[in-house]
């Protein structure tokens, strides 16, 4: 479709007029104004966007320009992968072609979380109105057992976190190829070409990559990846060219054969051999039977906007939806950063996380009360339990969870208004640490997202119920929350998602609230300080310097256990603006959007 059609479908009339005729917005469309980028890097506030105000000590200032692209945009944690996706769209590919290209490229240039040895979730919204949610989460191997992570005394071991037993059967290659086959327009070979080039010809290690290899050196050193990332025992330094010939050969097999190039034949044998050598249980038949699942997107509304988000086996979309349904009962959201704001938002998260931890699991194995948890009347009853001016203690019977801050999210939008939100992970950075020799990739430690010992905390403090216990062939519960927001006129508005375990849910939803309620421009919405509440531990955490001390003190007096801490989530988002898109990678990360 032409530029003209994009503009007609999504925004106003002829494309050339988009930036110059603001009066022609269709009724109901959200007017997010002109692009905020300028030669000086300073944002402009037009349309219905309003300047944001952050606490003085907050390190990320409001009013910075986002990246602008007239036609298309990719926002990811790896600049090379963003560029690869943008190039695919420049050559005529659609957002799905680009998302698949980004996914494979991330597996090469962002090995801490980009992957072919892990899994993820993709939410797609085509400009013609079709929507889809693709679940390519890992599954437990057939030989998995409920108590496989307990020692003889019933105590948890660390085998769900490090080493070959920690891995679920990877879903990434099945997912990416399925998405391309159903919604893409280009050949697998073409969309994988950038990834293969990065693996064969190499790329220059930047400071973020070098830091990542250094930080993970102890884990990587235990397995075969050491020869690639820690040559002679030393992490690759800035400026080194990293080539990955084994990975290139694996990618070639996938490009030529499709998913069978990973799930059968040589690659499957390499994985099974790696497992067999060290006591892992994934077999060639586990790999051969892996299938991604196309699911119905959760389609919810918030103050007239439409959210398209991910259903279980991720908890992400349910919790985002339930939280926003609770908040919708307030006539309007209190001012950003105020005591009332933190109280209302924290209380809403607390209530939806209680449901998350007790009721959600793989729907193929557990009965999940989707209707109840996404119901507005149910949310009204939860809203009614939020007391004015006081915190509600989380009942000790409610389950608790605490996770790390890994994973990666990327957002893509094309010239026709097609959009893709994808979150993918190995779980911990570099997953289980196990690196498939001669295959050239890390395997996940996603088995730790199961309740390894129902009712007891796992290695990350995660305590969940029987519904999420280990069972063969089952998907472990996730928090990943890829989400697409449509404006009141049904046009594409926002593509968003995050990394960070349960903070994926809270960070993603706060960017949405910042755009919809606080009328922030995208860069402010992503840079703004965030809060987090997950029911148990029963505390309201906030990013250091993200609340004023007066606000934190007031919350303490209301009964909150208030804790300042590190970053909450890492966002990669795209917003439709007049005349194109803005892309924003979190200032907390090393990501960078690329648009054109
Ligand atoms: O699926 C999930 O929710 C987690 N596996 C995401 C990984 C993460 O961010 C936490 N890491 N330990």
């Amino acid at each position: 479709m032409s530029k003209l059609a994009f503009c007609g479908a999504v925004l106003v009339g002829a494309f050339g007029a988009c930036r110059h005729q603001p009066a022609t917005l269709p009724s109901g469309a959200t007017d997010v104004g002109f692009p905020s980028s300028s030669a000086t890097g300073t944002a402009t506030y037009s349309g219905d966007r309003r300047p944001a105000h952050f606490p003085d000590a907050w390190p990320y200032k409001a009013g910075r320009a986002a990246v602008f692209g007239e036609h298309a945009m990719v926002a990811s944690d790896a600049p090379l992968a963003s560029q690869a996706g943008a190039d695919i769209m420049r050559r005529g590919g659609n957002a799905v072609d680009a998302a698949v290209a980004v996914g494979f490229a991330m597996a090469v240039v962002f090995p801490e979380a980009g992957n072919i040895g892990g899994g993820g979730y993709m939410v797609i919204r085509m400009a013609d109105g079709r929507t889809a949610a693709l679940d390519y989460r890992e599954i437990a191997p057939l030989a998995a057992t409920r108590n496989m992570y307990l020692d003889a005394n019933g105590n948890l071991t660390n085998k769900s976190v490090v080493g070959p037993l920690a891995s679920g059967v990877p879903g990434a290659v099945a997912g990416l190829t399925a998405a391309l086959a159903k919604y893409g327009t280009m050949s697998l070979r073409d969309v994988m070409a950038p990834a293969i080039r990065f693996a064969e010809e190499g790329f220059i290690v930047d400071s973020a990559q070098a830091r990542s290899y250094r930080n993970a050196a102890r884990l990587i050193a235990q397995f075969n990846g050491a020869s690639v990332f820690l040559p002679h025992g030393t992490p690759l330094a800035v400026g080194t060219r990293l080539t990955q010939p084994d990975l290139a050969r694996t990618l070639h097999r996938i490009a030529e054969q499709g998913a069978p190039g990973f799930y059968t034949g040589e690659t499957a044998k390499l994985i099974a051999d790696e497992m067999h050598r060290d006591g892992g249980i994934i077999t060639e038949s586990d790999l051969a039977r892996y299938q991604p699942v196309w699911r119905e997107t959760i389609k919810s509304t918030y103050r007239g906007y439409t959210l398209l988000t991910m259903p279980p086996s991720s908890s992400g979309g349910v919790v985002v939806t339930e939280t926003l349904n609770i908040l919708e009962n307030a006539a309007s959201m209190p001012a950003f950063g105020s005591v009332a704001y933190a109280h209302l938002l924290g209380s809403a998260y607390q209530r939806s996380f209680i449901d998350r931890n007790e009721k959600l699991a793989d729907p193929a194995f557990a009965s999940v009360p989707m209707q109840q948890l996404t119901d507005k009347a149910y949310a009204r009853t939860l809203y009614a339990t939020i007391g004015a001016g006081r915190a509600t203690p989380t009942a000790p019977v409610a389950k608790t969870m605490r996770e790390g801050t890994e994973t990666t999210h990327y957002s893509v939008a094309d010239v026709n208004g097609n959009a893709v939100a994808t979150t993918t992970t190995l779980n911990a950075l570099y997953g289980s640490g196990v690196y498939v020799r001669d295959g050239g990739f890390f395997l996940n430690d996603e088995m730790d997202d199961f309740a390894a010992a129902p009712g007891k905390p796992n290695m990350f403090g995660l305590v969940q119920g029987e519904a999420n216990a280990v069972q063969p062939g089952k998907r472990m519960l996730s928090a990943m929350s890829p989400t697409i927001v449509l404006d009141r006129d049904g046009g594409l508005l926002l593509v968003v998602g995050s990394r960070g375990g349960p903070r994926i849910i809270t960070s993603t939803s706060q960017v949405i609230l910042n755009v919809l309620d606080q009328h922030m421009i995208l860069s402010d919405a992503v840079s703004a300080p965030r809060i987090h509440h997950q029911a148990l531990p029963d505390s309201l955490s906030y990013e250091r310097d993200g609340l004023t001390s007066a606000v934190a003190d007031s919350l303490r007096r209301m009964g909150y256990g208030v804790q300042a801490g590190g970053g909450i989530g890492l966002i990669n988002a795209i917003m439709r603006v007049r005349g194109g898109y803005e892309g924003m990678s979190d200032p907390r990360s090393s990501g960078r959007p690329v648009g054109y």
Side-chain angles (χ1 to χ4, degrees):
M1 207 190 288
S2 66
K3 288 192 284 182
L4 187 144
F6 156 71
C7 206
V10 176
L11 193 54
V12 288
F15 188 80
C18 288
R19 301 176 74 168
H20 306 296
Q21 295 185 359
T24 56
L25 278 173
S27 65
T30 302
D31 181 5
V32 296
F34 292 97
S36 65
S37 30
S38 73
T40 62
T42 308
T44 55
Y45 294 89
S46 59
D48 61 5
R49 299 299 96 183
R50 298 176 198 146
H53 300 285
F54 305 152
D56 290 342
W58 181 242
Y60 311 116
K61 300 303 167 204
R64 294 171 353 131
V67 171
F68 174 70
E70 200 175 327
H71 309 278
M73 183 67 66
V74 180
S76 85
D77 281 325
L80 283 173
S82 296
Q83 185 68 56
D87 288 346
I88 288 285
M89 292 190 282
R90 208 187 277 272
R91 287 175 46 205
N94 70 11
V96 177
D97 296 318
V100 175
V102 172
F104 281 112
M106 298 284 292
V108 182
V109 301
F110 197 70
E112 66 175 44
N115 66 81
I116 55 173
Y121 299 94
M122 185 180 283
V123 171
I124 299 171
R125 193 262 179 176
M126 304 300 283
D128 63 11
R130 285 176 295 160
T131 65
L134 181 58
D135 178 336
Y136 51 101
R137 181 69 157 170
E138 299 90 329
I139 58 172
L142 290 172
T145 58
R146 185 181 186 282
N147 295 330
M148 63 189 280
Y149 299 113
L150 305 183
D151 65 17
N153 300 320
N155 296 319
L156 265 176
T157 65
N158 76 344
K159 290 181 178 163
S160 64
V161 184
V162 176
L165 272 183
S167 300
V169 182
V173 173
L176 292 174
T177 52
L180 186 74
K182 191 155 181 190
Y183 290 99
T185 65
M186 293 173 73
S187 71
L188 185 58
R189 206 180 295 254
D190 283 346
V191 298
M192 288 187 68
I196 292 173
R197 194 176 65 247
F198 292 140
E200 272 173 354
E201 297 173 11
F203 63 95
I204 302 299
V205 171
D206 64 15
S207 57
Q209 284 300 305
R211 189 172 57 243
S212 175
Y213 306 147
R214 264 198 318 276
N215 291 344
R218 270 179 68 180
L219 176 68
I220 295 172
Q222 296 174 50
F223 304 98
N224 301 310
S227 61
V228 177
F229 298 98
L230 316 172
H232 314 295
T234 309
L236 291 170
V238 179
T240 316
R241 177 171 288 275
L242 170 59
T243 55
Q244 299 172 77
D246 289 338
L247 179 55
R249 278 189 287 277
T250 298
L251 293 173
H252 269 298
R253 286 192 290 276
I254 298 167
E256 279 149 28
Q257 302 164 36
F262 183 87
Y263 291 94
T264 61
E266 187 176 343
T267 318
K269 187 165 178 345
L270 290 174
I271 296 171
D273 287 351
E274 190 66 52
M275 290 282 122
H276 193 64
R277 222 175 265 132
D278 274 336
I281 56 174
I282 298 175
T283 62
E284 287 183 66
S285 60
D286 276 311
L287 290 157
R289 70 190 285 278
Y290 182 88
Q291 290 295 329
V293 182
W294 288 102
R295 303 190 187 278
E296 191 89 7
T297 29
I298 297 179
K299 187 172 180 184
S300 58
T301 60
Y302 179 71
R303 301 188 197 276
Y305 295 88
T306 299
L307 269 74
L308 305 168
T309 187
M310 196 69 217
S313 61
S314 181
S315 66
V318 172
V319 182
V320 168
T321 297
E322 186 174 340
T323 302
L324 267 56
N325 281 346
I326 294 171
L327 296 175
E328 204 178 36
N329 289 283
S332 62
M333 281 298 282
F336 180 82
S338 64
V339 175
Y341 182 84
H343 172 50
L344 178 57
L345 189 55
S347 299
Y349 285 140
Q350 178 190 28
R351 282 151 180 78
S352 45
F353 266 91
I354 288 171
D355 280 337
R356 186 261 187 215
N357 297 339
E358 290 178 354
K359 297 176 183 163
L360 295 180
D362 182 346
F365 286 76
S367 165
V368 174
M370 285 294 288
Q371 205 283 329
Q372 177 201 20
L373 300 184
T374 58
D375 181 51
K376 289 196 186 281
Y378 172 65
R380 199 155 43 243
T381 66
L382 294 178
Y383 177 75
T385 66
I386 301 175
R390 62 182 167 75
T392 318
T394 302
V397 290
K399 309 297 185 213
T400 182
M401 59 177 295
R402 184 162 54 84
E403 294 181 24
T405 56
E406 289 82 32
T407 302
T408 189
H409 173 86
Y410 54 92
S411 296
V412 184
D414 72 18
V415 68
N416 294 327
N418 302 310
V420 180
T422 302
T423 315
T424 181
T425 192
L426 291 163
N427 195 20
L429 298 184
Y430 303 96
S432 62
V434 173
Y435 187 81
V436 178
R437 78 189 68 178
D438 301 327
F441 55 94
F442 290 98
L443 288 173
N444 67 85
D445 62 343
E446 217 73 68
M447 293 295 280
D448 193 62
D449 276 354
F450 280 119
K456 284 191 191 170
N458 68 359
M459 292 301 290
F460 290 118
L462 178 64
V463 181
Q464 295 174 108
E466 201 58 52
N468 192 33
V470 182
Q471 287 177 269
K474 185 178 183 180
R475 287 165 153 80
M476 55 298 281
L477 186 63
S478 172
M480 291 189 266
S481 315
T483 300
I484 295 173
V485 181
L486 309 181
D487 70 16
R488 291 181 170 125
D489 205 43
L492 175 64
L493 177 61
L494 198 60
V495 189
V496 63
S498 186
R499 77 191 272 178
R503 295 169 192 79
I504 290 171
I505 295 169
T506 45
S507 53
T508 299
S509 53
Q510 281 167 79
V511 171
I512 294 169
L513 293 170
N514 289 346
V515 168
L516 302 189
D517 286 312
Q518 307 295 334
H519 295 268
M520 292 184 195
I521 55 172
L522 185 65
S523 67
D524 289 353
V526 173
S527 304
R530 302 193 268 259
I531 64 169
H532 180 74
H533 201 314
Q534 59 180 43
L536 284 175
D538 189 0
S539 65
L540 185 66
S541 45
Y542 68 99
E543 294 177 299
R544 192 164 291 106
D545 297 325
L547 291 179
T548 65
S549 48
V551 168
D553 288 345
S554 295
L555 290 165
R556 265 183 210 104
R557 282 195 294 276
M558 291 165 67
Y560 282 102
V562 181
Q563 283 186 342
I568 295 173
L570 290 180
I571 296 283
N572 280 295
I574 296 172
M575 185 157 82
R576 188 266 300 146
V577 294
R578 283 181 176 264
Y581 296 112
E582 284 191 335
M584 184 73 189
S585 290
D586 210 303
R588 300 158 182 83
S589 86
S590 57
R592 193 167 70 222
V594 175
Y596 73 95

